Amino acid sequence: RRFSDATDAYVTATVPRGALKGWIQGYSQAALFLAFAVMFWYGGIYVGDESAAPPPLSDSKFEGMFIPIFCMFCMGAGIGQASLGATDTNKAAAAAKRVFEVVDHESKIDSCSQEGLTPGVVTGLIEVED
């Protein structure tokens, strides 16, 4: 019974968030495919229009149509690579905070002080006794 209650509480808390993440991912995929559909549709009209001249920096209308598409692919790849590091940045910031908390912690042992007990002679030999 306790397990069932715990899982029900967990599912109730996480399903809406998971559904929102799924909707956002689906929307981004739909927007991407819609953008490509519009580009290919307009590119087909543009390439098929015999009265239009080729765009600057390209030899043909077909090439002129694919230059922006390849730019979009490269831009998408760059954004995808950058977004992969976004979650790592948050984890790194949290880890850096923990490291600085440890480094900034004032030790109870003052290694520069002459007070307290000190060993007489240290030779560096280690003996292991059973």
Side-chain angles (χ1 to χ4, degrees):
R1 181 81 184 140
R2 287 187 343 187
F3 177 76
S4 178
D5 292 341
T7 55
D8 287 344
Y10 176 77
V11 167
T12 303
T14 58
V15 164
R17 186 174 177 192
L20 178 64
K21 286 182 178 181
W23 188 87
I24 290 170
Q25 184 175 2
Y27 176 77
S28 68
Q29 291 291 318
L32 174 72
F33 284 110
L34 180 64
F36 279 119
V38 169
M39 279 194 308
F40 281 114
W41 170 75
Y42 181 72
I45 291 173
Y46 177 71
V47 170
D49 184 11
E50 305 233 352
S51 64
L57 303 176
S58 63
D59 296 331
S60 68
K61 291 189 285 181
F62 185 74
E63 182 180 306
M65 180 189 89
F66 273 99
I67 289 174
I69 292 173
F70 286 132
C71 289
M72 293 283 285
F73 276 128
C74 291
M75 183 179 67
I79 290 172
Q81 289 294 324
S83 68
L84 288 176
T87 56
D88 296 338
T89 304
N90 293 336
K91 290 178 184 176
K97 181 181 176 189
R98 289 193 306 269
V99 167
F100 281 113
E101 285 174 357
V102 170
V103 170
D104 293 341
H105 177 74
E106 191 169 325
S107 176
K108 294 180 181 177
I109 301 171
D110 185 7
S111 60
C112 298
S113 174
Q114 297 298 325
E115 297 177 8
L117 301 173
T118 57
V121 176
V122 178
T123 59
L125 298 175
I126 299 175
E127 292 183 18
V128 180
E129 296 180 5
D130 201 9

